[in-house]
Amino acid sequence: MKYAFWPGCVSKGACPELYTSMVRTSAALGIELVELYDGNCTGAGVISEHSMETADALNARNFALAQRLGLPLINICSTCQGVQSMAQQRLKKNAKLAAEINQTLSDEGLYYDAQKGLEVKNFLWVLVEDFGLDRLKSMIKRPLHGISAGPFYGCYILRPESILGFDEFPERDTYLEQVIEAVGCKLITYEGQDKCCGFPILTINKKNSLTMAANHLSEAQKEGADFLVTPCPLCHLNLDAQQPDAAKYATVDGLQVPILHLPQLIGLALGIDPKELRVDRHVVSTNKVLSKLTATPVHA
Amino acid sequence: MEVKLKVLRYDPESGKEPEYRRYTVDMPESATVLDSLIEVREFHDGTLSLRCSCRSAICGSCAMRINGRARLACKTQVSSVAEDGEEIVVEPAGNMPTIKDLVVDMAPFWDKIRAVKPWLQPSGPPPEREYLAPPQAMIELAEVMNCIMCGACVSDCTVLEVDKSFLAPAALAKAWRFVHDPRDGNTAARLRELSEPSGIWDCTRCNFCVQVCPKDVKPMDQIMKLRAEATAIGITNNAGSRHTFAFTSTVKEGGRLNEFQMLPRTHGLLNIAANLAELPGGIRMIRAGKMPSPFTHKIPGAAHVKRIFKRFEHAKV
């Protein structure tokens, strides 16, 4: 299995542990990643607030880089997934726009065939649809029994369904639950698991942003989650890095919910050393989860 | 076909807590959730309250939460939400107080609609005959004009859940309808008001409103158009607009986002109090090894990215 790898800006910035764990976990799974070192920001739905055409052109450039490699694209960010899916749809519909963008891209020898399109999949979708959870289960060396985990999806990997391939893959809103159970965790579900983490308005309306995070984290803690797992580094930032500030809006005492990146969870189940997965690079300590881990036997 | 319903019943006047009641009704295969609820009310439990009128997804009366998501009960076939005779959970629409059972008080909804002044405010002397608008302008407003005011988007809005003052998707989409109408003469004032707190910049872009809207109004997309329009006419003295500028300019410079610069550029470099308040969070990030580099890292093709901006930043294709 081989993919053009779009790591996103955040795994190269505020969440370097996501990048490291993705590279390490993919190698263990036998997934080959050809990184798009020259790829640009997708715009994260922000540049499109300023200029939709620019955002579409930026995404077309990434798609063209992947098409040149002849590989499907893998991302590790719910926001990138949503933005890329939406851009693909617009480029396919608007032939005039695609042609004008291609004219600009041709200066660096790039061309995006919008009609042919490109398979763009978050690591979560790749795991379930391309890799297969049975195959994953057969590779598990450290089943995470006795640990309770809750999902946190991130908006853009769930909505709107019409552009996210739910017609073909209607269970995409249950994949995190399936993965959590596949690695041996006890599944915890709670109301806010598919809602907004609040990150997009963190710098605009901090109180609202932190209240959203606090509500979801409080619910998850009440339900008994030892940690949450997310395929979105932006959700990770609001739920993890902002958690000490969100605590003042929490509806539980002593808010303390570690947030793992999806590749970290898979890596742990594959028996990879937690240090290699940089599980210590979080604001909310993962020590409690790790102490439960070491109590779980590692099968050779 | 046997239809199993689990309906949230609540009568605030009774003093009792809300409780779920289960009903099983026999319905034809083509039945909607609304048909099933009416069957309950007419033949099983006359105390059930719900609102409905046209039964054709036109009047917008029967928005409620069906299996946790806002939908029009009349537009939702039982078979689409309950495969193999599963139980269907029916609750009142969210973010609005319950009057009784499935009937919610929509006064807050209408207050917000009124707040965006949903009527034309032409400027200059009136024309001799009617105000004319070119068809193209109306085509661009077709999405928002499809709104039937059912409140589904408001029900599932994640911002409204934490902040009752947010104008919310329906009213903001309605605002775009007038901002973009060529006959309206109050565009700048409208956009200035909409850029205030509780307005367009408070939307988190969670896409719930787009997902649940039964008429494909895409309220969030209209909010994004309002943001672009407000910024384009120079209403930029707010955190939301500064955030968009900061984000866009760092990508323009290096090809990728420079997260380090986002906070000071959004608060404004001279806003020392706000920037100092971010320090503890920054120290936490440094301690956890999560502090992004303050320096712009340019991707190899940064010059090409800049060219893309130059070509498309102010283009409409």
Side-chain angles (χ1 to χ4, degrees):
Chain A
M1 296 175 76
K2 197 172 174 181
Y3 295 87
F5 174 41
W6 167 241
C9 304
V10 180
S11 86
K12 295 273 184 166
C15 290
E17 73 283 356
L18 168 60
Y19 179 82
T20 310
S21 59
M22 178 61 184
V23 170
R24 184 66 185 86
T25 298
S26 300
L29 290 169
I31 296 175
E32 196 180 336
L33 302 177
V34 182
E35 185 168 338
L36 298 179
Y37 289 103
D38 198 21
N40 49 253
C41 174
T42 64
V46 179
I47 293 180
S48 55
E49 287 171 4
H50 176 64
S51 159
M52 186 72 87
E53 284 77 4
T54 308
D56 286 343
L58 290 172
N59 281 295
R61 185 171 176 273
N62 285 348
F63 300 153
L65 289 169
Q67 263 184 351
R68 188 164 67 180
L69 293 170
L71 294 172
L73 189 67
I74 188 171
N75 64 61
I76 44 175
C77 172
S78 297
T79 305
C80 290
Q81 179 66 57
V83 170
Q84 289 177 325
S85 294
M86 283 187 243
Q88 275 193 314
Q89 196 195 42
R90 279 193 299 269
L91 290 163
K92 194 170 185 177
K93 271 189 186 167
N94 190 343
K96 188 171 165 241
L97 174 66
E100 292 204 19
I101 289 171
N102 274 325
Q103 205 179 8
T104 304
L105 293 180
S106 68
D107 286 0
E108 56 173 323
L110 287 174
Y111 177 81
Y112 173 56
D113 187 341
Q115 293 312 312
K116 186 174 152 204
L118 175 73
E119 204 172 25
V120 178
K121 284 190 170 184
N122 184 277
F123 179 51
L124 175 64
W125 294 356
V126 167
L127 264 184
V128 179
E129 291 159 8
D130 300 0
F131 194 83
L133 292 184
D134 286 337
R135 192 165 151 205
L136 174 66
K137 279 184 204 165
S138 74
M139 294 174 76
I140 288 176
K141 293 191 179 145
R142 186 197 278 135
L144 306 179
H145 295 148
I147 308 179
S148 302
F152 198 89
Y153 278 91
C155 298
Y156 277 26
I157 203 168
L158 292 175
R159 294 177 293 275
E161 288 175 359
S162 56
I163 59 121
L164 288 169
F166 276 72
D167 287 346
E168 194 181 348
F169 302 103
E171 289 187 6
R172 281 184 169 173
D173 56 357
T174 64
Y175 285 179
L176 268 182
E177 287 93 320
Q178 293 181 36
V179 169
I180 286 169
E181 290 191 315
V183 296
C185 288
K186 185 186 169 206
L187 172 66
I188 299 291
T189 59
Y190 57 102
E191 204 190 314
Q193 64 185 41
D194 63 347
K195 291 186 181 169
C196 176
C197 68
F199 185 79
I201 53 167
L202 179 63
T203 56
I204 299 165
N205 190 329
K206 197 164 190 172
K207 181 170 183 252
N208 283 0
S209 173
L210 295 179
T211 307
M212 285 180 183
N215 285 348
H216 311 324
L217 292 164
S218 302
E219 278 173 20
Q221 185 159 315
K222 267 184 225 163
E223 294 296 327
D226 290 317
F227 69 91
L228 300 183
V229 60
T230 181
C232 183
L234 303 179
C235 297
H236 173 91
L237 281 176
N238 224 40
L239 299 176
D240 173 67
Q242 299 299 326
Q243 197 174 131
D245 288 341
K248 64 176 169 239
Y249 303 108
T251 55
V252 292
D253 290 330
L255 190 69
Q256 181 84 11
V257 186
I259 314 294
L260 292 189
H261 297 289
L262 179 61
Q264 289 179 323
L265 175 69
I266 305 300
L268 289 175
L270 293 175
I272 300 171
D273 183 345
K275 281 206 181 86
E276 283 186 57
L277 297 167
R278 302 279 196 273
V279 177
D280 53 341
R281 295 289 185 96
H282 294 189
V283 167
V284 179
S285 168
T286 53
N287 286 344
K288 223 167 129 188
V289 179
L290 296 182
S291 67
K292 287 194 177 185
L293 259 191
T294 42
T296 313
V298 175
H299 302 296
Chain B
M1 168 180 64
E2 196 175 69
V3 178
K4 292 181 197 146
L5 299 162
K6 181 180 156 188
V7 184
L8 190 63
R9 302 294 310 270
Y10 179 44
D11 181 359
E13 287 177 8
S14 73
K16 289 186 200 157
E17 290 295 306
E19 59 169 16
Y20 287 99
R21 260 185 243 169
R22 292 184 157 84
Y23 304 96
T24 303
V25 286
D26 189 35
M27 301 297 295
E29 292 289 329
S30 60
T32 63
V33 173
L34 181 61
D35 295 335
S36 310
L37 289 169
I38 290 172
E39 180 79 9
V40 169
R41 187 185 63 185
E42 299 303 311
F43 301 105
H44 298 261
D45 185 346
T47 67
L48 175 67
S49 298
L50 64 136
R51 215 186 245 137
C52 63
S53 180
C54 75
R55 306 188 191 193
S56 312
I58 293 167
C59 75
S61 301
C62 66
M64 56 185 75
R65 279 203 176 134
I66 297 169
N67 287 349
R69 180 187 290 186
R71 304 171 204 257
L72 291 180
C74 71
K75 202 189 172 198
T76 307
Q77 281 196 300
V78 168
S79 56
S80 71
V81 286
E83 284 171 27
D84 311 321
E86 288 163 358
E87 192 170 63
I88 303 169
V89 181
V90 186
E91 296 159 320
N95 285 327
M96 289 170 272
T98 300
I99 294 174
K100 186 172 176 288
D101 299 334
L102 303 173
V103 179
V104 293
D105 180 1
M106 290 188 71
F109 173 94
W110 294 112
D111 287 346
K112 285 167 204 255
I113 297 285
R114 266 189 292 274
V116 302
K117 303 185 182 78
W119 54 84
L120 280 175
Q121 298 175 318
S123 60
E128 277 184 26
R129 299 184 57 158
E130 66 270 39
Y131 286 96
L132 290 176
Q136 185 57 35
M138 292 294 110
I139 288 170
E140 285 170 19
L141 288 174
E143 276 176 345
V144 275
M145 291 197 291
N146 280 337
C147 177
I148 56 170
M149 305 277 168
C150 67
C153 59
V154 166
S155 159
D156 286 13
C157 172
T158 55
V159 178
L160 210 51
E161 221 172 66
V162 298
D163 181 357
K164 295 289 169 229
S165 76
F166 180 48
L167 274 172
L172 290 172
K174 181 59 84 184
W176 171 247
R177 188 247 168 280
F178 290 95
V179 162
H180 197 60
D181 192 311
R183 295 166 294 181
D184 196 84
N186 209 17
T187 308
R190 286 181 188 274
L191 286 168
R192 262 194 301 277
E193 262 181 54
L194 293 166
S195 300
E196 294 290 316
S198 305
I200 51 178
W201 296 103
D202 273 15
C203 165
T204 64
R205 298 187 275 118
C206 75
N207 260 316
F208 257 109
C209 58
V210 178
Q211 177 74 42
V212 301
C213 175
K215 289 292 180 184
D216 212 18
V217 169
K218 303 193 186 83
M220 190 192 95
D221 292 10
Q222 318 310 332
I223 298 172
M224 296 307 115
K225 290 177 196 167
L226 287 167
R227 287 183 180 181
E229 194 68 25
T231 303
I233 66 162
I235 305 168
T236 52
N237 189 21
N238 56 71
S241 187
R242 281 194 299 271
H243 175 261
T244 305
F245 269 114
F247 192 110
T248 304
S249 54
T250 70
V251 175
K252 197 198 268 187
E253 284 155 23
R256 285 196 192 169
L257 175 66
N258 182 323
E259 296 154 300
F260 184 87
Q261 297 178 9
M262 289 305 294
L263 277 174
R265 287 169 88 156
T266 302
H267 291 317
L269 288 172
L270 298 176
N271 191 345
I272 293 164
N275 286 314
L276 277 179
E278 301 291 351
L279 264 183
I283 292 167
R284 276 199 312 259
M285 299 276 284
I286 292 172
R287 279 199 183 141
K290 294 168 85 76
M291 180 51 83
S293 162
F295 306 108
T296 300
H297 168 77
K298 282 193 179 180
I299 60 166
H304 295 295
V305 169
K306 218 169 210 169
R307 222 163 24 78
I308 286 175
F309 272 94
K310 202 173 165 197
R311 167 68 185 81
F312 291 103
E313 203 171 4
H314 303 290
K316 289 277 164 234
V317 183

